[in-house]
Amino acid sequence: MASLLDEVKEIFLGMGFEIIDGPEVETSFYNFTALNTPENHPSREPQDTFYFADDLLLRTQTSAMQARYMEKHQPPFRIIAPGRTYRKDEVDATHSPMFHQIEGLVVDKGITMTDLKGTLDLLFKKIYGEDTRVRFRPHHFPFTEPSAEMDLQCFNCHGAGCRMCKGEGWIEMLGCGMVHPNVLRICGIDPDVYSGYAFGLGTDRMAMWRYGVSDMRLFFENDLRFLTQF
């Protein structure tokens, strides 16, 4: 997985992105409030998030680095923030309570959804080949508007439907969208002047696709028969 992450970093560096890092123990302000997540949003509930105290938690997304970076920098900028994230997900073939994510953020004048789709399409074609099939579906995230989810055609069944893709033929890879004007305002950036896009990419699922692994749990079970293949 580390070698794949290095490859992804090199692709983004080639597109002019900066790589940043941040804390895994986060405040609710940066993890939720600064990202336009309302107080009554389900993701803020204790059954979905690992809390140490009312205002301190294990980050559920590296998106928290959006606000931290925008507080201290003025556009234009392009960043990615890779790292570990934590949610109370049930363990199955494609979910884990600890997983790896890359948050991407671009803010500049005149940024559109076309820039977002072009960036992601280029990334996945460089990683998996020119014949890679992706699709974008309308969705809702509090920190982007409009929002979308991007899927890759299942590498295990090639769209026919199987246990790994839960019969869908597609595997959800990431959420993305245009940065919500409220997020820009909270961070001191004028949304009437600047626009941007953001995405959250699961690197564990990328590794599954790349290496033909049908169960994410194999990455974390420390079975040398599996690990020595890489």
Side-chain angles (χ1 to χ4, degrees):
M1 195 183 307
S3 61
L4 177 61
L5 178 58
D6 288 341
E7 188 174 347
V8 172
K9 288 179 179 179
E10 286 300 317
I11 293 170
F12 278 111
L13 286 171
M15 291 191 284
F17 282 71
E18 176 187 357
I19 300 171
I20 64 170
D21 193 19
E24 293 182 18
V25 177
E26 192 54 274
T27 67
S28 60
F29 174 78
Y30 288 112
N31 198 81
F32 294 122
T33 306
L35 298 176
N36 199 44
T37 306
E39 291 289 340
N40 61 351
H41 195 276
S43 65
R44 302 183 75 141
E45 295 297 322
Q47 62 263 31
D48 288 326
T49 299
F50 296 103
Y51 282 91
F52 295 105
D54 290 344
D55 191 47
L56 204 61
L57 52 95
L58 287 173
R59 66 182 178 187
T60 63
Q61 54 200 358
T62 53
S63 306
M65 287 307 299
Q66 279 190 40
R68 287 186 174 275
Y69 190 89
M70 286 192 286
E71 275 186 339
K72 298 178 180 179
H73 300 81
Q74 283 296 308
F77 47 73
R78 298 166 177 252
I79 62 169
I80 60 168
R84 284 180 296 211
T85 54
Y86 306 85
R87 299 177 191 174
K88 289 187 177 179
D89 285 341
E90 294 296 326
V91 178
D92 62 23
T94 57
H95 293 85
S96 170
M98 186 281 291
F99 57 99
H100 299 82
Q101 189 182 64
I102 298 175
E103 170 72 13
L105 174 68
V106 172
V107 178
D108 201 347
K109 295 178 180 178
I111 296 295
T112 69
M113 197 78 172
T114 302
D115 300 304
L116 167 62
K117 295 175 78 171
T119 298
L120 294 176
D121 188 60
L122 176 63
L123 169 67
F124 282 91
K125 280 185 166 63
K126 282 185 172 292
I127 293 291
Y128 303 119
E130 291 297 322
D131 60 345
T132 300
R133 294 189 62 189
V134 303
R135 71 177 185 185
F136 291 84
R137 295 178 287 108
H139 197 67
H140 170 73
F141 299 107
F143 36 84
T144 52
E145 181 59 39
S147 304
E149 287 188 339
M150 195 197 83
D151 304 330
L152 287 179
Q153 189 178 71
C154 180
F155 67 87
N156 194 52
C157 66
H158 305 289
C162 66
R163 179 177 68 92
M164 185 173 181
C165 63
K166 299 180 174 64
E168 295 286 333
W170 296 82
I171 297 175
E172 176 190 329
M173 291 298 294
L174 58 88
C176 59
M178 300 301 293
V179 180
H180 198 292
N182 288 347
V183 174
L184 295 175
R185 289 191 190 96
I186 290 170
C187 297
I189 295 174
D190 187 348
D192 294 326
V193 177
Y194 295 101
S195 59
Y197 66 74
F199 58 86
L201 169 64
T203 47
D204 304 289
R205 293 186 183 182
M206 287 186 71
M208 292 173 69
W209 176 282
R210 163 62 71 85
Y211 301 117
V213 177
S214 60
D215 196 319
M216 185 188 294
R217 289 169 288 195
L218 291 169
F219 289 125
F220 307 120
E221 290 177 346
N222 297 320
D223 188 330
L224 290 178
R225 293 171 298 177
F226 172 77
L227 296 177
T228 52
Q229 298 178 63
F230 305 101

